[in-house]
């Protein structure tokens, strides 16, 4: 299939590369023309404007927006909606607020343009590992783009099928899922990121407790000088708490055992806040996720080793650089 990618940053460019490797034709655009030229050198076509990008695509056109959530996504989607025709498709693959997606979907549907919101997880590793995709939007458009989603997703790989799923059909075991109507994809991704906050905080606090096991506040026979790098490694192998986040923590500790290259200033990109807001709206208690969010706020005033662990994980999976 042919696809136009708007936004050739850390994820957008790698997604184009994965699609081309899967036999798809891609046209890329970014306000940074150096990014466009780099992608052209990889075999993609490049556009110098949204107008040129749209003109280079065959109808029904498929435009995937991989730009920062918020005002930039809003402007990009609205600008594209003025250039497209009936039955064309716009995909928002960023971390947009799901209610914004619902609103945009209604606006575009009035013009006959299909709008999909795709929660995209995989970070800077997606080119190699594939992207977990949570898709919201009209069924017909989702089915049309199945070859795109199947190429971007990880596939079954070596992960064994969940016991009891032998007779269950669907794409979830391939790493992508049509979650429901417009907004549902970003809603599910929002909760995914809220859970991510809690998991990261749990790991971080555990490593911080182990690091401080040498404290003089403890009786001498209760003090332990623990090698966190080796503990992270042994936990990766058969323990109940093994995960990709633990893998990334282990990488960070090998690279910098004391995490001296980090201050522990931890940003939040919005999804954690929206998850807590959704919990409040639904009257669902979310103690862990709320505390994990608040701990990020606190990290900007006083840093701990656990904050450095979280900051290191964010750099590993998303290329997020600490604010100085």
């Amino acid at each position: 299939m042919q696809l136009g990618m708007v936004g050739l940053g850390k994820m957008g460019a790698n997604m184009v590369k994965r699609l081309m490797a899967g036999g798809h034709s891609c046209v890329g655009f970014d306000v940074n023309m150096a990014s466009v030229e780099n992608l052209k050198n990889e075999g993609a076509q490049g556009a110098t404007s949204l107008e040129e990008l749209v003109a280079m695509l065959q109808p029904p056109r498929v435009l995937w927006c991989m730009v920062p959530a918020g005002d930039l996504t809003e402007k990009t989607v609205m600008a594209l909606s003025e250039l497209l025709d009936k039955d064309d498709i716009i995909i928002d693959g960023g971390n947009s607020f799901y209610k914004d997606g619902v609103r945009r979907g209604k606006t575009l549907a009035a013009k006959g343009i299909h709008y999909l919101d795709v929660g995209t997880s995989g970070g800077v590793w997606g080119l190699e590992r594939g992207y977990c995709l949570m898709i919201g939007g009209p069924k017909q458009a989702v089915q049309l783009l199945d070859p795109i989603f199947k190429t971007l997703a990880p596939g079954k790989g070596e992960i064994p099928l969940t016991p009891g799923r032998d007779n269950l059909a669907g794409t979830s075991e391939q790493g992508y899922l049509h979650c429901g109507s417009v907004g549902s994809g970003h809603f599910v991704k929002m909760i995914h990121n809220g859970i991510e906050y809690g998991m990261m905080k749990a790991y971080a606090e555990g490593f911080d407790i182990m690091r401080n096991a040498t404290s003089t506040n403890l009786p001498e026979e209760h003090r332990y000088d623990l090698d966190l790098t080796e503990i992270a490694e042994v936990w990766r192998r058969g323990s109940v708490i093994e995960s990709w986040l633990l893998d990334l923590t282990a990488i960070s500790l090998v690279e910098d055992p004391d995490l001296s290259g980090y201050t522990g200033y931890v940003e939040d990109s919005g999804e954690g806040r929206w998850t807590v807001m959704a919990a409040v709206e639904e009257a669902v208690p979310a103690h862990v996720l709320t505390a994990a969010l608040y701990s990020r706020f606190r990290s900007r005033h006083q840093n701990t080793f656990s904050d450095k662990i979280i900051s290191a994980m964010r750099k590993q999976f998303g290329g997020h650089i600490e604010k100085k």
Side-chain angles (χ1 to χ4, degrees):
M1 296 187 68
Q2 186 187 41
L3 178 139
M5 180 68 73
V6 182
L8 303 176
K10 290 177 291 188
M11 289 183 68
N14 280 346
M15 292 169 73
V16 169
K17 294 175 185 177
R18 187 172 176 89
L19 286 170
M20 291 192 300
H24 300 281
S25 173
C26 296
V27 185
F29 169 72
D30 195 288
V31 292
N32 181 357
M33 289 308 300
S35 298
V36 177
E37 290 301 319
N38 288 338
L39 206 59
K40 287 171 65 177
N41 292 335
E42 297 283 344
Q45 292 179 285
T48 59
S49 67
L50 291 180
E51 290 81 2
E52 184 179 11
L53 175 63
V54 170
M56 294 173 71
L57 299 174
Q58 298 296 318
R61 304 173 186 87
V62 181
L63 280 300
W64 190 305
C65 298
M66 210 64 194
V67 297
D71 187 56
L72 187 55
T73 293
E74 181 77 15
K75 290 179 178 178
T76 301
V77 170
M78 291 301 106
L80 286 173
S81 72
E82 296 298 319
L83 301 171
L84 299 180
D85 298 322
K86 184 177 181 295
D87 292 329
D88 288 343
I89 301 171
I90 297 178
I91 304 166
D92 175 10
N95 284 322
S96 293
F97 186 37
Y98 75 99
K99 292 182 180 179
D100 289 336
V102 173
R103 172 179 51 78
R104 292 183 195 124
K106 290 180 179 179
T107 300
L108 269 62
K111 299 183 176 184
I113 300 171
H114 302 298
Y115 181 79
L116 305 185
D117 58 291
V118 179
T120 307
S121 181
V124 296
W125 295 73
L127 174 59
E128 174 186 347
R129 291 169 53 97
Y131 301 88
C132 176
L133 304 174
M134 296 142 270
I135 308 161
K139 185 176 181 179
Q140 182 179 0
V142 174
Q143 290 177 334
L144 177 66
L145 298 183
D146 186 77
I148 294 290
F149 299 137
K150 189 172 185 178
T151 300
L152 288 172
K156 289 184 178 180
E158 298 179 356
I159 300 174
L161 193 66
T162 299
R165 285 195 58 91
D166 306 73
N167 298 318
L168 295 179
T171 61
S172 57
E173 64 194 51
Q174 298 283 346
Y176 66 105
L177 178 68
H178 183 203
C179 299
S181 59
V182 174
S184 64
H186 279 149
F187 182 85
V188 174
K189 178 57 161 53
M190 175 185 77
I191 303 303
H192 163 286
N193 283 24
I195 293 171
E196 177 186 294
Y197 280 31
M199 292 175 65
M200 292 171 73
K201 185 59 178 173
Y203 280 123
E205 289 181 353
F207 277 98
D208 204 358
I209 293 169
M210 290 190 291
R211 182 175 184 267
N212 284 282
T214 57
S215 172
T216 55
N217 293 325
L218 300 170
E220 188 170 353
E221 65 269 25
H222 295 164
R223 299 176 196 169
Y224 306 105
D225 186 8
L226 301 172
D227 189 329
L228 302 188
T229 302
E230 296 305 309
I231 291 170
E233 188 63 27
V234 75
W235 279 355
R236 293 182 60 232
R237 302 178 184 279
S239 81
V240 172
I241 61 169
E242 61 179 327
S243 74
W244 188 42
L245 287 174
L246 181 59
D247 294 344
L248 299 177
T249 301
I251 292 172
S252 298
L253 289 171
V254 167
E255 293 175 346
D256 183 0
D258 294 322
L259 300 184
S260 57
Y262 297 88
T263 65
Y265 186 107
V266 184
E267 291 278 12
D268 70 288
S269 53
E271 301 90 334
R273 301 188 190 204
W274 300 335
T275 298
V276 172
M277 289 164 54
V280 171
E281 291 174 353
E282 298 170 12
V284 172
H287 306 290
V288 172
L289 307 190
T290 303
L293 173 65
Y294 286 176
S295 75
R296 293 195 175 197
F297 298 162
R298 191 263 313 134
S299 78
R300 299 164 202 174
H301 302 280
Q302 181 182 16
N303 309 131
T304 64
F305 186 75
S306 71
D307 297 323
K308 292 184 177 184
I309 287 280
I310 294 174
S311 189
M313 278 189 271
R314 294 185 82 240
K315 181 181 179 183
Q316 288 291 344
F317 68 69
H320 302 289
I321 305 300
E322 284 183 336
K323 183 177 180 179
K324 302 299 183 181

